[in-house]
Amino acid sequence: MQMLRTSHNRNDDRAGSFFLATLILWFVSVWFEILFNKRRELLWIIAGTWFFQISNWVIRFLVSRDPLFVNTSVSLFHSTVTSVSVLFILVYQCLKNGSDGLFEHSQLVGGTWEWAYPTLCFSCGYFAYDQLDMLLYRLYSGLIPSILMHHLILLICFTLALYRNVTVNYLILTLICELHSIFLHVRKVRRMAGVRDAKSKIVKLEWVLNWVTFIVARCVSHILITIKLIRDAPKFEKGVQLPLALFGMTGMNLLNAGLGIDLFKAFKREINTLKGSYNHGE
């Protein structure tokens, strides 16, 4: 048992060292672009990182010092802010220019909707903050932690798009999935706060919203984006744009499948708990 625990710790240490090294390289890259290539617009990434780090400190000071609770609360805050921002961008764009041509290839790849660039930068800053927070407090496990790999893939895709100012609108559309993340984090915070009554109407409503947003905002939206990329493949210029976009969306769809399995298992556990309480009452 002790040997097994030691093996797990070694795996965690190796994973932590690798992902910390990649995060440091990422920060160096961003600062290089800002300072030497005069990309001042990328300061929104740094602003996002500090904004969510300060949110972390406020929650830690005022609410709880539990690292997992603090991390999840900040993630809930990010999901809410990002969801509202993405919906605002889409509605504003429709009201200003109409919906015609909104999802044309040229618009999604070469165009940048108003407020889309700083929003993507801000969200990119969050993923950097979250990666560092998870590494500092060891909120991961395994040789290749899926959450750290997920953040690394997003950081690579987001920053390359921001550096070259391409596919920004595509990536804004992928962030619609943050609508579902809201209810994922709400569930986690609710359980950590000790609210676990499966018979509660609030909990039942939470599950309904969890499944609806998982299907619509995460699965369907990401599948449609992937189909759009494949259909418009001949319209892409030669280079890394299409392979990188397809790689990113393939990764997201696989993670969505894994998330769906985990969500179903959690849902089944709560249903079984509810049935058990009814049988006990009888």
Side-chain angles (χ1 to χ4, degrees):
M1 187 68 179
Q2 183 63 37
M3 290 178 65
L4 186 62
R5 191 178 296 114
T6 303
S7 176
H8 282 310
N9 288 337
R10 284 176 181 171
N11 287 340
D12 289 355
D13 288 341
R14 289 172 185 170
S17 298
F18 170 77
F19 284 104
L20 181 59
T22 58
L23 187 61
I24 290 170
L25 288 173
W26 176 84
F27 268 115
V28 170
S29 169
V30 171
W31 277 113
F32 180 87
E33 288 291 320
I34 293 171
L35 297 176
F36 294 98
N37 291 336
K38 310 298 182 183
R39 299 290 301 276
R40 305 299 186 209
E41 66 274 18
L42 293 173
L43 283 170
W44 280 105
I45 295 177
I46 307 302
T49 303
W50 275 107
F51 178 79
F52 290 107
Q53 181 58 63
I54 292 169
S55 302
N56 179 301
W57 289 333
V58 170
I59 294 169
R60 190 178 300 278
F61 180 73
L62 295 178
V63 183
S64 170
R65 298 184 67 84
D66 176 25
L68 184 58
F69 180 87
V70 174
N71 181 272
T72 308
S73 298
V74 176
S75 296
L76 172 58
F77 187 35
H78 163 258
S79 297
T80 305
V81 170
T82 302
S83 299
V84 171
S85 300
V86 171
L87 291 175
F88 171 78
I89 289 168
L90 292 173
V91 171
Y92 179 80
Q93 198 65 28
C94 286
L95 292 176
K96 185 179 179 182
N97 300 319
S99 59
D100 291 342
L102 187 65
F103 302 122
E104 289 295 322
H105 174 77
S106 58
Q107 184 69 227
L108 291 174
V109 174
T112 306
W113 297 321
E114 200 162 348
W115 298 106
Y117 196 93
T119 297
L120 193 63
C121 283
F122 212 69
S123 199
C124 191
Y126 160 77
F127 289 117
Y129 142 79
D130 200 40
Q131 189 85 324
L132 182 59
D133 192 60
M134 288 191 168
L135 288 168
L136 288 175
Y137 292 98
R138 288 179 172 268
L139 302 176
Y140 62 91
S141 61
L143 183 59
I144 307 176
S146 60
I147 185 64
L148 297 183
M149 183 58 71
H150 171 254
H151 283 14
L152 178 59
I153 291 172
L154 288 178
L155 285 172
I156 292 171
C157 292
F158 280 26
T159 47
L160 286 177
L162 291 167
Y163 287 172
R164 302 187 64 184
N165 204 7
V166 293
T167 66
V168 170
N169 292 344
Y170 254 124
L171 290 171
I172 285 294
L173 290 179
T174 66
L175 288 175
I176 290 174
C177 70
E178 292 300 329
L179 276 169
H180 172 243
S181 296
I182 291 174
F183 300 104
L184 273 183
H185 299 318
V186 163
R187 178 179 178 274
K188 201 168 179 181
V189 169
R190 182 258 298 172
R191 288 178 63 82
M192 283 189 285
V195 181
R196 295 168 178 253
D197 184 5
K199 293 181 283 186
S200 166
K201 290 182 179 179
I202 295 295
V203 173
K204 290 178 181 177
L205 177 62
E206 176 199 296
W207 270 114
V208 170
L209 294 172
N210 219 316
W211 280 115
V212 169
T213 54
F214 171 74
I215 293 168
V216 177
R218 189 175 290 275
C219 292
V220 173
S221 66
H222 284 176
I223 289 170
L224 288 176
I225 291 169
T226 306
I227 292 171
K228 175 70 174 170
L229 284 170
I230 295 170
R231 288 183 60 183
D232 288 349
K235 299 179 182 178
F236 277 88
E237 296 178 4
K238 290 182 179 179
V240 298
Q241 288 182 18
L242 180 60
L244 190 63
L246 288 173
F247 168 74
M249 290 312 303
T250 300
M252 284 188 180
N253 285 315
L254 288 173
L255 287 168
N256 289 345
L259 179 60
I261 293 170
D262 290 342
L263 200 62
F264 179 74
K265 288 178 180 177
F267 179 68
K268 197 173 179 180
R269 279 197 303 270
E270 291 210 3
I271 290 296
N272 289 338
T273 302
L274 180 61
K275 287 179 179 178
S277 67
Y278 277 133
N279 291 336
H280 183 73
E282 291 173 356

